[in-house]
């Protein structure tokens, strides 16, 4: 018989997007019982959660004034182990995930060396099994003539712009060959053949901040055209599920909507930086906001934000892409924003303030990613689901202005100007308390989500 854990006075966000108050019982890592006595369309007002007693031995707690949401799913992270653990690593990156309320991560394959073979995939799996503090799944990187992703992979990742030592896959014929061989493909949709390499000469007044000019919108438009051609040429039965990673433009939003109307199995992902920032923020803050795809215009940002609110975007991931601060400050800074530890607080803040509905919150924060990638028992609070839970508090006071300890080795808070209206107080992974008020519980490990 496994462990049992009871939460009294729990206020949880149910599958119906209502908050239910009552008792939650967890057994063997899963939600065994949900006894709601009344429901409301809003969590209770903020208060102190001083009643929480999270001693390791506790088998029963009072949830006090906080509320419980499903642990978030971040379907796009780069934890950089093996190969570049100095930039983050699995143990530290998943500690940052916990701070953000994230209980499942899907890790990208552009490691040094890139994860292109069964052997490298298995070695990386073994590392995650030993080190990950949250549940996880891994991608394989698509290469021309590469093998089908194993059942234990989240899918394959196609980089249409070089993201590792490997060549990009850009033309429609090559895309088609990957499509025919795979079941699920996540695509970085910027065709690198459209990039400019000598923009400094044309834009000297911009100084060094030309990253967004190097990678024009035309690269996205060209990528979408090739993807569509490859999709059309692939026999309907062989077409994989497609995920357009980190949508950053009006064009991607329109394209995904049009493809969905045609019945295509296409999903749209974006990241907080694409609806919170534009190229103006990059020009103001410099290389710390240099990212691929680059931050784009105010109109793009507005279109992404509209799509986050109205359903054009299926889920929000972070594309957590940490680099050492010295690298970011150097002469040829690498691209990437490391935002996983603010994912839950950002999305919760938007819902607490009524900027997105709680139904949309559930979809964006985990439900849709769980459906898209086939994560059994994740992304929602329901009887029988895994007890992946984030314990939150609402209110400007709860969010606080106090200096916070940054967990990621990137050591930079990209969302310092965002007004937080919620924070995460504690996180459970498969029914085990993994993180409380900034402290990681040692010895708690996540599981692989594809088994
Ligand atoms: O900014 C980015 N950084 N975009 C990517 O697509 C890759 C990532 C990385 O691995 O650094
Ligand atoms: Zn990425």
């Amino acid at each position: 018989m496994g462990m049992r854990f009871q939460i009294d006075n729990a206020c949880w966000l149910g599958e119906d997007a209502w908050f239910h108050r009552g008792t939650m019982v967890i057994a063997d890592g899963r939600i065994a019982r949900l006894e709601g006595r009344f429901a409301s369309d809003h969590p209770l007002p903020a208060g102190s959660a001083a009643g929480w007693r999270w001693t390791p031995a506790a088998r029963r707690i009072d949830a006090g004034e906080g509320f419980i949401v499903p642990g978030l799913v971040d379907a796009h992270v780069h934890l950089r182990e093996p190969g570049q653990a100095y930039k983050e690593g699995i143990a530290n990156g998943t500690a940052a995930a916990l701070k953000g309320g994230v209980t499942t991560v899907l890790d990208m394959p552009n490691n040094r060396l890139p994860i292109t073979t069964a052997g490298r995939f298995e070695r990386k799996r073994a590392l995650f099994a030993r080190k990950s503090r949250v549940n996880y799944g891994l991608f394989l990187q698509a290469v021309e003539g590469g093998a089908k992703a194993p059942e234990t992979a989240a899918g394959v990742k196609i980089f249409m712009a070089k993201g590792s030592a490997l060549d990009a896959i850009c033309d429609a014929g090559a895309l088609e060959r990957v499509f025919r061989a795979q079941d699920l493909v996540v695509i970085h949709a910027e065709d690198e053949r459209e990039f400019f390499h000598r923009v400094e000469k044309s834009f000297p007044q911009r100084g060094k901040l030309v990253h967004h000019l190097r990678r024009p919108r035309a690269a996205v438009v060209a990528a979408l055209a090739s993807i569509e051609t490859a999709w059309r040429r692939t026999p309907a039965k062989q077409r994989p599920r497609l995920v357009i990673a980190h949508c950053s433009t009006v064009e991607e939003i329109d394209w995904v909507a049009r493809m969905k109307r045609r019945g295509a199995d296409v999903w749209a992902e974006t990241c907080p930086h694409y609806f919170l920032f534009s190229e103006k923020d990059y020009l103001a803050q410099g290389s710390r906001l240099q990212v691929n795809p680059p931050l784009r215009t105010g109109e793009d940002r507005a279109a992404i934000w509209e799509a986050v609110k109205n359903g054009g975007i299926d889920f929000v991931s972070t594309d957590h892409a940490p680099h050492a601060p010295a690298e970011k400050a150097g002469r040829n800074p690498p691209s990437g924003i490391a935002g996983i530890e603010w994912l839950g607080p950002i999305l919760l803040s938007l819902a607490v303030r009524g900027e997105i509905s709680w139904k949309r919150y559930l979809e964006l924060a985990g439900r849709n990613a769980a459906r898209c990638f086939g994560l059994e028992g994740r992304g929602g609070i329901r009887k029988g689901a895994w007890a992946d839970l984030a314990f939150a508090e609402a209110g400007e006071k709860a969010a606080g202005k106090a200096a916070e300890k940054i967990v990621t080795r990137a050591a930079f808070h990209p969302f310092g100007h965002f007004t937080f209206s919620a924070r995460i107080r504690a996180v459970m992974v498969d029914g085990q308390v993994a993180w409380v008020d900034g402290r990681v519980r040692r010895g708690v490990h996540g599981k692989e989500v594809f088994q």
Side-chain angles (χ1 to χ4, degrees), residues 78 80 110 159 188 246 291-292 319 321 323 335-336:
H78 300 262
R80 311 218 194 277
N110 60 331
F159 287 90
H188 182 126
H246 39 51
V291 63
N292 295 328
D319 193 5
H323 295 287
S335 300

Side-chain angles (χ1 to χ4, degrees), residues 168-229:
I169 295 180
C170 297
D171 73 82
L175 290 171
E176 182 190 341
R177 286 189 287 281
V178 177
F179 288 2
R180 283 172 179 261
Q182 305 292 343
D183 295 334
L184 192 154
V185 179
V186 177
I187 309 181
H188 182 126
E190 285 184 289
D191 184 334
E192 66 178 14
R193 295 172 299 186
E194 300 288 333
F195 292 173
F196 298 114
H197 297 287
R198 297 169 62 80
V199 288
E200 291 90 340
K201 288 229 164 59
S202 329
F203 299 94
Q205 75 282 8
R206 303 250 193 185
K208 287 194 165 314
L209 298 177
V210 293
H211 184 73
H212 58 308
L213 303 172
R214 283 184 206 280
R215 305 176 69 118
R217 175 183 315 273
V220 174
V221 173
L224 296 175
S226 299
I227 294 167
E228 191 168 343
T229 302

